[in-house]
Every structure is written in structure tokens, then in C-alpha cells.
Amino acid sequence: MEKRYDQEYFDRWYRRGGIGDRARLARKVALAVAAAEYHLERPIKTVLDIGAGEAAWRAPLLKLRPGVQYLAFDSSEYAVARYGRSRNLHFARFGDFEHLRPTAPVDLLICSDVLHYLSARELDRGLPGLAELCGGMAFLETFAREDRAVGDEHDFQQRPASFYRKRFEALGFAQAGSHLWLSPALKERATALEIA
């Protein structure tokens, strides 16, 4: 059965299922913003959210940084039709970022709870684009075979963490912990113990 990212999906997993708990999301947003600003040594100005779903990150980001420019993309026709205008959410599949460059490199790039559902082919097509579009910090929340993650297991790819780590590092990202990765441009300024 083909997976559909419709209203029922988002209701089940992000509202009724507890994964999208507002306090939990606010902590993730605060973590990503603080880490990006620490390494950039200034407030963030631009955010790109790839695989944004209903663009739930937008409200907590704007609460922390009211002037931030937020741009989001997702492959859910439902989410784009419902929230496109109000949340600056546009249609694109992950693999489209092989060629799609909708903005200059951003201060904070978000790709949360997406990569572990993609085929290796689509992942490898889109990942280089993420590296090019990230000028500061990337929040790449990804779950691996070793994790005891709770949530949607339909199409979950049972890959080891090393599968993702190798790909991120090959693109020039440096791990900063807690799903955070310094961009290729920013990692040169990091000290030895700030990166893994």
C-alpha cells in the first residue's frame, strides 16, 4: 500500500501520536537555533525546511526570531494545498534538490524525520543539494537501525547510523551532536572538541 501524507497521516502521527508535541518541538527548535547562532556568532536570518510536512517549525522559529525568513518544501500535496500560502510551504520531493536551489545558502537548514524514509537512490540524489544550501547549521534528525525510535514504521529504512554518517561527512558536514551538523563552510571555524 502506498504511503499518503494526507491530513489523517499528520493527525495520527503529529497530533494524536504525540510525536509532534508542541513542547518537544519547541525544545528542538530552541536547540537548533542556539547551536546555529553559537557557531555563526550572530542571530540566524534565514531558514530552509526540507521535508517540512505541515511546516510545524515555522511558528516556534518565528516566536524565537520574529524577523527570520522561513522557506519550506514538502512532497505532501495535502500540506502544500492547506498551508502553502500561510506558511511559505512549496511542493518538492527530496530528490528534486539534486537541481533545485530556491535560495542562497541559509543559516539553518532543517530536514527533520525524513531521511530514514527515503530510498538510497533518492537520498543520494538530494543530499548534495542540502550541503550546497546550508551555510551554517543543519538539523538532520534521522533515525537508524540502532535506535529505539517510536513512530511510523511504514517505509522506515533499517540502515545503520554509519550509512548516514558516511554520506553527511562525504559532503563536508561535521557532526556537532544531537542531530546537528556544521555546514562545510562553517566547520573550518569549529574547534576540535566542538565536532565529533
Side-chain angles (χ1 to χ4, degrees), residues 77-175:
E77 292 177 5
Y78 149 77
V80 173
R82 182 159 183 188
Y83 298 109
R85 285 187 181 179
S86 63
R87 298 182 183 176
N88 203 17
L89 176 63
H90 306 272
F91 184 85
R93 290 179 179 82
F94 186 84
D96 294 340
F97 287 89
E98 177 180 15
H99 303 292
L100 187 61
R101 299 296 182 272
T103 183
V106 295
D107 296 334
L108 176 59
L109 184 137
I110 303 158
C111 189
S112 179
D113 198 16
V114 174
L115 302 178
H116 44 268
Y117 293 115
L118 301 174
S119 69
R121 183 176 182 208
E122 185 168 12
L123 183 75
D124 289 340
R125 279 182 53 215
L127 271 179
L130 272 63
E132 289 181 29
L133 288 164
C134 183
M137 181 70 70
F139 183 82
L140 305 175
E141 184 180 36
T142 307
F143 298 100
R145 181 170 53 214
E146 299 90 342
D147 299 322
R148 295 181 186 186
V150 175
D152 178 15
E153 294 182 3
H154 187 266
D155 290 339
F156 180 80
Q157 304 296 308
Q158 293 284 340
R159 301 175 180 127
S162 61
F163 173 91
Y164 298 103
R165 194 172 288 116
K166 285 177 189 174
R167 280 164 167 76
F168 298 163
E169 290 172 353
L171 292 169
F173 284 110
Q175 191 169 21

Side-chain angles (χ1 to χ4, degrees), residues 23-35:
R24 183 180 189 193
L25 177 59
R27 288 189 296 273
K28 282 187 207 182
V29 172
L31 171 71
V33 169

Side-chain angles (χ1 to χ4, degrees), residues 43-100:
I44 61 168
K45 298 174 185 172
T46 55
V47 176
L48 176 61
D49 193 346
I50 297 175
E54 296 177 321
W57 278 63
R58 182 181 179 273
L61 275 165
L62 290 174
K63 185 175 182 181
L64 282 176
R65 297 295 176 267
V68 77
Q69 294 175 20
Y70 176 83
L71 176 61
F73 290 87
D74 198 81
S75 63
S76 167
E77 292 177 5
Y78 149 77
V80 173
R82 182 159 183 188
Y83 298 109
R85 285 187 181 179
S86 63
R87 298 182 183 176
N88 203 17
L89 176 63
H90 306 272
F91 184 85
R93 290 179 179 82
F94 186 84
D96 294 340
F97 287 89
E98 177 180 15
H99 303 292
L100 187 61

